[in-house]
Amino acid sequence: SFVRLQAQVAGLKAGFGIPILIGERVLAVLTFFMTQSRTEDKRYLELVTAVATQLGLVLGRKQLEEELRQERDFSKTLIETSSAFFVALDAGGKIIMMNQGFLKAAGYTLDEVLETDYLLTFVPEAERKSLAKIFRESVRSQQPILKENYVLTKEGRELLVEWRGKPIFKKSGELDFFLR
């Protein structure tokens, strides 16, 4: 092969390769050449194998991070370009995300609504208690809900909207956020 011919021209007499793995898949082979052949040094081989293993772990993590970034960017774009209303509330009912469709219809900017109480800002006073109870029940049962109620605009107009809500939980079982 071409590599063997180049190694001979350079005066290299021996070599070995250690695969860099991502899971079960070989990503690359870490190859070493030497100018003289010698008996196998077990410590050296273990060190090189450990380095190759660490490279595989780092490269695998980078690949996973890139896949997660792409998935996050896709989801964010989908939500932002949708004409449907999206809002995410933290466990205390504060707004942590709202898409442009909702903001435009309600007459707000994102800076005006972030960290504000959703019920106090967007729900008519007469509906707040019953809607808070529905949110709590959805979180307790860990079930999505389908509901319709009025949403207040910045000018005080009421818009009747049908919405689906879903509680999203952390691995610990604690509520992470409520997507509406």
Side-chain angles (χ1 to χ4, degrees), residues 31-43:
T31 307
F32 296 88
F33 289 101
M34 293 164 272
T35 55
Q36 58 186 359
S37 182
R38 55 177 137 155
T39 59
E40 184 180 299
D41 182 342
K42 190 173 181 179
R43 283 190 354 243

Side-chain angles (χ1 to χ4, degrees), residues 139-157:
V139 170
R140 187 195 62 69
S141 69
Q142 299 188 7
Q143 295 298 312
I145 52 176
L146 175 62
K147 180 81 173 128
E148 104 177 0
N149 71 282
Y150 286 98
V151 171
L152 293 174
T153 67
K154 189 173 181 179
E155 294 81 31
R157 288 183 298 117

Side-chain angles (χ1 to χ4, degrees), residues 59-97:
L59 293 171
R61 189 174 14 226
K62 287 293 182 192
Q63 184 179 25
L64 180 59
E65 286 173 4
E66 177 61 18
E67 289 170 4
L68 289 172
R69 184 198 60 77
Q70 288 175 345
E71 186 177 315
R72 184 196 67 224
D73 289 350
F74 175 78
S75 297
K76 185 176 179 185
T77 301
L78 187 63
I79 288 171
E80 280 302 317
T81 58
S82 173
S83 59
F85 293 179
F86 286 94
V87 61
L89 311 175
D90 67 13
K94 304 282 188 206
I95 297 169
I96 55 176
M97 187 278 294

